[in-house]
Amino acid sequence: MFLIQAIRYLIDQIELNIKTRLGSQTSAEKALAEVLKAKEQQPVALRPQAQPRVEVDAQLLAKLTELKIVEVAGQQITANPHAIDLAYLGLPPVGQLKEASSRVYQQKPAGVDLDVEAKPLHFGLTWGQLMSTTCAEFHARLTTSLKNDDLTQTKMIILERFKRQLMLLICYAEKVLIEREKAAKAAKDQIPFVDSVDKWLVDMITECFNEAKLLSEQALENAKIKFGKFAIEKGAGETEGVLNTCKEVAEQFLKFCQETDAKVDTKKSAPNAMVDTFPNRPDKKIALRIINEKVAQELVERLFKIASQKYRPQAGWYYSAWNPVGFDPDKARAKNTSLATALHDFEVEDKKHKEEDREYWDEMFKLVHKAHGASLLLTPAFSVYTQQAPQTWEQVHAALHAQVPYPAGAVKEAHRSCKF
C-alpha cells in the first residue's frame, strides 16, 4: 500500500504540472479535452469491449484448492464462502498494456470525470477512448490527427495519458492486495504469494514510461521544421523531465522499501512490511505500521525533489523562500539514510518486548525522540521553513500516543506534553 500511496503523490504532481502549464483552474484532462473537442458535438460510437481473460496461476490455484479455499469443477472455479475474487489474485503480464481489452484498461478508477470521458473529439473518438488507446493506436494518431497540433499541447496529452495509466495501475494493484489479504486470512497465512505486487507496479510503470517516451519522440519528429537536407527541431523539455522523475521516484521508493525489509528479514505482506503491505490496519505491529505510513509520505516527497533536481532543473522551487540557497540533493540523500537507520532501530526494538507492555512503548517513544533529533541535524543552513523530516517525527509521536494501550498508561501520561 505504501508504493500505491507514493504513486498517488506522483499523480497529483503530474496534475499540478499540467494545470500550471495550461494556466487552468479546472482539471488537466478537462482542459486538454476542450482543446481537442469536435466543433459539432456529434455522438461517437463506442467500440465493443472484449471480455478480459481471467488468469489464475496454476500453482496458486492448486494451493487454494488444497486449503479448501476454492473448489474446481471443470472450468468452473468457486471461492465460497470466502468471497474472494480470483480474477484479482494474479498479476497480468506487461503485455496487457498493448491490449485495449485488457482488465487493466477496462477499469474506471475513482477520479475519472465521466462527462469528460464522453466528450467527442474532432477526429472521431471520445476523450476516454483516446486515453485508453494502446501505444500503437496513439502513435498512429500522432502521425495523422495530431500531427499538426501544437507540440507542447501534444506532449501534455501524452503526459495525461501516462497519468491515466498510473491511475489504472494502482487501482488494479489495490484490488489485488485486497483479494490477497482475504485469501491469506482464509488460509491463515499459509499462501506464499511468490510474485510481488509492488515489483509488478514498478515494472508496469517502466513500460508506461517507455511508451510515453516513444510517443514524445514521435511528437518531436512531427514538429521538425525541414529545409531540404537540414532541419530545425526542438528537444526534450518539461514533459520528459516529469516522466523521468516519476519513473525514478517509483524505482527508488521500491528499492528503499525492499532494502528496509531485507535488513530485518521482514517478509512481504507482513504487518510491519513496507513491500506489498495489505490495506487493512493489522491487530499486531500497529506501532510499526503507523511509523511506516508516516515516513513513506516523507520519503516520496523527498525522492521527488531529488529526481526533479536531476531532470527538471528549471523548476522554480529550488530557490524558493524556504530554501534561498538552493536544494541540496546530498543532504536529502543523507536524510534518506537517516530514515533507514531509524526504521531499522524500531524493528530491532520491536522484537524485544510485547506490544502491550510498558517497556515496548517507552522504547518506541525514545526512538521517536532520537530520530527527531537526528533529523534536526540535517536541516539545511539558512532555511526559514520548518523542515518536513522533524515534522514527520512529531506526527509519528502524536499517532503513537493515540495508540498506547491501557497497560502502558504511565508511558502515555509521560509523553502527553512533549515539546519539540
Side-chain angles (χ1 to χ4, degrees):
M1 289 303 292
F2 300 130
L3 180 59
I4 291 175
Q5 175 183 320
I7 295 170
R8 284 199 178 101
Y9 176 81
L10 296 178
I11 290 170
D12 290 343
Q13 294 303 310
I14 294 172
E15 173 73 9
L16 178 62
N17 177 271
I18 297 175
K19 284 175 66 174
T20 301
R21 291 158 69 188
L22 287 171
S24 172
Q25 298 300 315
T26 185
S27 71
E29 68 169 1
K30 187 173 184 179
L32 290 169
E34 193 66 24
V35 173
L36 297 179
K37 74 176 182 179
K39 292 181 179 179
E40 296 182 7
Q41 299 290 298
Q42 298 294 330
V44 175
L46 296 177
R47 294 177 298 186
Q49 289 187 323
Q51 187 65 26
R53 297 189 304 272
V54 177
E55 297 177 354
V56 182
D57 179 74
Q59 187 176 359
L60 174 60
L61 184 60
K63 186 66 176 178
L64 292 168
T65 306
E66 177 190 333
L67 295 170
K68 302 188 185 306
I69 294 173
V70 303
E71 294 179 1
V72 180
Q75 298 295 316
Q76 188 69 29
I77 304 171
T78 56
N80 293 324
H82 304 289
I84 299 167
D85 189 342
L86 295 172
Y88 288 106
L89 275 184
L91 295 168
V94 171
Q96 278 221 0
L97 285 173
K98 298 176 173 38
E99 303 173 13
S101 63
S102 74
R103 187 172 291 274
V104 174
Y105 268 141
Q106 289 194 12
Q107 300 175 112
K108 290 297 179 189
V112 170
D113 189 327
L114 296 181
D115 289 335
V116 177
E117 288 286 282
K119 187 179 288 293
L121 308 181
H122 68 75
F123 42 82
L125 294 180
T126 64
W127 174 259
Q129 288 173 340
L130 177 64
M131 288 294 100
S132 63
T133 52
T134 64
C135 184
E137 291 170 334
F138 199 99
H139 190 275
R141 289 288 168 189
L142 286 176
T143 57
T144 54
S145 313
L146 298 169
K147 184 173 183 179
N148 297 318
D149 283 19
D150 177 75
L151 173 62
T152 300
Q153 170 195 299
T154 300
K155 290 208 290 186
M156 282 192 286
I157 293 170
I158 293 168
L159 185 56
E160 181 66 28
R161 178 179 180 270
F162 177 74
K163 187 192 87 175
R164 171 68 66 90
Q165 289 179 318
L166 296 189
M167 293 169 67
L168 292 171
L169 290 176
I170 63 173
C171 182
Y172 195 95
E174 194 165 20
K175 290 176 182 176
V176 172
L177 287 172
I178 288 170
E179 297 308 319
R180 287 190 174 192
E181 185 170 25
K182 291 180 188 176
K185 186 176 181 180
K188 298 179 180 178
D189 294 324
Q190 294 183 56
I191 299 180
F193 291 106
V194 178
D195 53 349
S196 166
V197 179
D198 286 1
K199 178 64 169 59
W200 174 84
L201 260 177
V202 172
D203 288 345
M204 296 292 269
I205 289 171
T206 300
E207 182 66 19
C208 294
F209 166 82
N210 290 336
E211 286 188 2
K213 183 180 176 183
L214 174 68
L215 296 174
S216 293
E217 288 172 351
Q218 181 59 51
L220 285 170
E221 177 67 25
N222 294 346
K224 280 184 179 180
I225 301 174
K226 299 180 180 179
F227 300 95
K229 297 180 180 180
F230 303 99
I232 301 173
E233 57 185 288
K234 297 181 181 180
E238 179 73 3
T239 294
E240 288 83 354
V242 174
L243 289 169
N244 279 295
T245 297
C246 290
K247 175 176 177 286
E248 181 154 313
V249 170
E251 291 172 344
Q252 291 302 313
F253 189 95
L254 176 61
K255 181 181 178 183
F256 179 95
C257 293
Q258 289 173 328
E259 291 177 349
T260 299
D261 285 353
K263 282 183 180 178
V264 287
D265 194 26
T266 303
K267 295 181 180 179
K268 291 189 293 89
S269 307
N272 56 319
M274 292 198 74
V275 175
D276 288 11
T277 311
F278 286 146
N280 293 318
R281 181 68 64 84
D283 296 327
K284 297 181 179 179
K285 307 292 186 185
I286 293 174
L288 296 182
R289 174 66 176 256
I290 289 172
I291 293 164
N292 287 346
E293 285 176 353
K294 296 293 182 184
V295 301
Q297 185 60 33
E298 180 203 348
L299 175 64
V300 67
E301 291 184 27
R302 185 157 55 248
L303 288 174
F304 187 82
K305 287 185 176 181
I306 293 171
S308 293
Q309 192 273 345
K310 180 177 178 181
Y311 295 111
R312 299 169 56 214
Q314 72 275 31
W317 56 260
Y318 299 115
Y319 300 96
S320 61
W322 66 266
N323 196 8
V325 296
F327 177 71
D328 186 345
D330 292 333
K331 186 156 285 188
R333 293 187 186 95
K335 287 182 181 180
N336 288 346
T337 301
S338 176
L339 187 62
T341 301
L343 291 177
H344 179 262
D345 290 346
F346 279 109
E347 290 278 4
V348 170
E349 199 59 46
D350 173 80
K351 296 178 180 180
K352 295 180 181 179
H353 311 282
K354 293 181 179 179
E355 280 188 89
E356 63 271 18
D357 290 350
R358 171 178 175 170
E359 293 81 6
Y360 176 88
W361 291 94
D362 192 37
E363 292 303 320
M364 289 288 112
F365 280 113
K366 285 180 181 177
L367 288 173
V368 170
H369 283 282
K370 179 182 176 183
H372 182 268
S375 68
L376 291 174
L377 297 175
L378 294 170
T379 300
F382 308 113
S383 176
V384 296
Y385 176 77
T386 302
Q387 289 294 294
Q388 187 181 2
Q391 281 186 323
T392 295
W393 291 114
E394 291 164 25
Q395 292 168 6
V396 168
H397 189 281
L400 291 184
H401 193 269
Q403 293 292 328
V404 176
Y406 180 78
V411 177
K412 186 169 187 173
E413 189 59 36
H415 288 272
R416 185 177 299 279
S417 303
C418 286
K419 302 294 183 184
F420 292 96

